[in-house]
Amino acid sequence: MDTETTDKYIEAGKTAKKAIELAKKIVKPGVSILETAQKIESEIMKNNAQIAFPVNISANDFAAHDTAFPNDTRVFRDDDIIKIDIGVHIDGYIADTAVTICFDNSKADLVKASEKALENALKIACPGTNIGDIGKTIQETIESFGYKPVSNLSGHYLGQYMIHTGTSIPNIETNTDVVLKEGDAIAIEPFATDGAGAIRDGSRVGIYRFLENKSVRLQSARKLLQFVQKNYSTLPFAARWLKEPRGFMLDAALKQLVQAGALHEYPVLKEVGNGMVAQAEHTVLVFDKPIVTTV
Ligand code: MN
Ligand code: MN
C-alpha cells in the first residue's frame, strides 16, 4: 500500500472517529433516531469526507442494518442498547467503525465483552496471522464474559469503493487458509449476545445497493434506478436519502427493483433468540505494527 492510500485511509478513520464521538454525545433517551442519523451523516460531510454507507442505528436484539426510515418517528428508550455503525470514505478508501451505547449499567458487561474481543483481535492483526485465529480470539474473549459471539456476522476485507471484497473475518474459530498480508485493509467487528448466537433477516429494509441496470414496469422505479446508478453506483444508500418518489410509491419502486435484481436490499438483522446484541468495530491496516485508523 502506497503512502497516499495509507493517508486517505487514516483521514477517513479520523472523520469516522469524530462522528462516533458525536454519536456518543447526542444519543440519549427520548432523542429522535431520524435526527441522530442526519446529524451523524452531516458531521461526516462537514469534514470533507464522504459517507460510505448510511449510518446503521440498531437497537437491542437488532444487531445491524437498521437505520432511520423516511418520516421515522422512533426515539431512543431508557433501556435500549444501541449500535451505531459508521462508514466514511475518502476517494473510496473506507473507515468502518461502530460503538455500542446504553443508558443504564445492566448491559455494560455485554458491551465490554465486544470491546475486549476487538481489543484482543487488533493485537494480532499482523502479517502472517491466520484469520481463523482472529475468530478464535474473539470467540474465546466473548465466552470468557459468559456470552456468545454472533456466529453468522463477521468482519471483512475492504477495497476501494468496496465495503466487503468477499472475504470475511470470522467472529468464531474457523478453519481457513487465509492469512493476513502487509497492506491489507480490514474491518474487525465482534458482536456479543446473551441470546442464541446467530442472526436472521428481519422484515424491515432501509438500506439498499445498486446492482445492475434492469428494465422494470413502473416509471418511478426506472427514474429511481437511474438516480441511484448515477449517485450510489457501488456503495449502499438509504431509502430516506431519496427525494422521489415518496411514501408508498417509494416502497413499491424499491420492491420492484429488488425483485428485478437491480438493487440489493439489506434487511435488518435480528438475533434469533431475541438476545441483546453489542458490537464493537475498528478498521485496521495490516502492518507489523497495525494501524488502527478509527481510534
Ligand atoms: Mn460497520
Ligand atoms: Mn464492517
Side-chain angles (χ1 to χ4, degrees), residues 53 56 64 84-87 95-98 156 163 187-189 191 279 281-283:
F53 54 80
N56 285 211
I84 303 278
D85 193 333
I86 289 171
D96 182 1
T97 182
H156 45 100
I163 293 163
I188 302 180
E189 50 183 312
F191 289 80
Q279 174 199 19
E281 180 175 22
H282 280 308
T283 295

Side-chain angles (χ1 to χ4, degrees), residues 111-130:
V111 176
K112 192 83 202 287
S114 64
E115 289 173 348
K116 193 74 193 168
L118 176 58
E119 189 186 318
N120 289 342
L122 288 171
K123 282 182 198 158
I124 57 168
C126 309
T129 294
N130 183 295

Side-chain angles (χ1 to χ4, degrees), residues 18-27 40 84 86 99 101:
K18 267 195 194 171
I20 288 278
E21 291 305 320
L22 176 71
K24 285 186 193 165
K25 253 191 267 172
I26 64 176
V27 172
I40 291 170
I84 303 278
I86 289 171
V99 68
I101 299 168

